[in-house]
Amino acid sequence: MFADLHLHTYFSDGTYTPEELVAQAKRHSLVAVALTDHDTVEGCVPTARACAVASIEFIAGTELTAEQAGHEIHILGYGMDLENAQLLTEIAKFQLVRQNRIREMVALLNRLNVPLRVEAVFALANCRAPGRPHVARALVEAGLCDNLDEAFERFLKKNRPAWVPKFKMSAAHAVALLHQAGAVAVMAHPGLNRCDEVIPAMVEAGLDGIECFHTKHSTATAAHYLQIASRFNLVVTGGSDCHGSSKGRPVMGTVKLPYQHVEKLKARGAEIKAAAAPAGSRT
Ligand SMILES: [Zn+2]
Ligand SMILES: [Zn+2]
């Protein structure tokens, strides 16, 4: 029994609809999936519905963009209350920041005589949390770049002429925000960040888990983070980080997390919910 706990749909920068995502999960015989779109939980309800039809267990999730000691860190949240007011308010603020960043990037492109319209990006993005991949796709669709790689290399990569730095909340804030919504907080793809020195401070801030298995982690990298997980008593997670075809080939199926880790994740979630429950509602 295997799960994939890191997946994106077109509610952030993936290309799959919830139904397409679930059809792929079925094809790979996954018994449980978590949706972790960037800075949104919008896709959770439709994906839960599609999972119910396909008899796949669904875990609500998100991937928050955060910062720790100058490093961009992605924090996965699992099992949150989807109606949590504080989480929804923060997410809405964050989405506005993302939309303004798109406007700034398009303004920079226009100054470079690249006639991209911001409406074209928003129309294509179909979500409230647009990002650079949407700008890249809009550039290709408008015939202004030949492919996504060219769009990133010429304009959108860090320190290229249309790159705009991204606002990020602190990692401690992201962890606290997730906890008060009843969610488990997990550091995403640490092997991509290469800043293990921040892990102790994040554990101190309440981090619950670490994503040991990821498409871009080698076997040695996964083993390294499994060791760190056991040293700090962290929950182990894993997922493909599949974006459909927006970042090259779909990668769902490349990471299969043994289901025992899902059980531990859910047990941790139950502890967090018990701690977050207002006094008097506890038994
Ligand atoms: Zn990420
Ligand atoms: Zn991701």
Side-chain angles (χ1 to χ4, degrees), residues 38-214:
H38 297 281
D39 304 318
T40 183
V41 292
E42 264 180 288
C44 285
V45 168
T47 306
R49 208 178 297 133
C51 277
V53 172
S55 301
I56 292 175
E57 181 180 354
F58 177 72
I59 295 163
T62 187
E63 181 171 16
L64 300 179
T65 311
E67 187 172 28
Q68 176 77 34
H71 296 279
E72 178 171 323
I73 308 278
H74 292 177
I75 309 230
L76 298 160
Y78 293 110
M80 67 279 294
D81 167 10
L82 292 172
E83 319 251 275
N84 181 266
Q86 198 182 330
L87 181 67
L88 294 180
T89 307
E90 290 273 337
I91 279 178
K93 246 195 274 173
F94 223 67
Q95 290 169 347
L96 200 66
V97 169
R98 276 180 168 272
Q99 289 159 13
N100 287 335
R101 181 173 181 236
I102 300 288
R103 290 194 180 88
E104 281 181 62
M105 284 193 277
V106 171
L108 286 171
L109 285 165
N110 293 163
R111 232 172 286 159
L112 295 164
N113 291 321
V114 180
L116 186 69
R117 289 178 323 110
V118 74
E119 294 78 15
V121 182
F122 288 139
L124 174 148
N126 176 53
C127 68
R128 297 192 191 124
R132 282 184 302 171
H134 298 117
V135 180
R137 268 158 61 196
L139 281 166
V140 173
E141 279 189 18
L144 299 165
C145 285
D146 286 340
N147 53 55
L148 300 176
D149 281 343
E150 186 198 331
F152 273 92
E153 284 300 327
R154 276 177 65 194
F155 301 118
L156 302 173
K157 259 173 76 170
K158 188 170 181 179
N159 298 327
R160 293 289 194 273
W163 176 73
V164 173
K166 191 159 46 168
F167 166 81
K168 303 160 203 110
M169 64 176 93
S170 76
H173 182 73
V175 169
L177 182 63
L178 290 169
H179 280 174
Q180 66 78 38
V184 180
V186 175
M187 184 181 184
H189 45 62
L192 266 62
N193 299 79
R194 299 181 177 283
C195 53
D196 289 5
E197 68 275 13
V198 306
I199 294 173
M202 290 179 56
V203 171
E204 190 68 29
L207 187 75
D208 303 291
I210 191 157
E211 188 176 53
C212 297
F213 304 103
H214 183 274

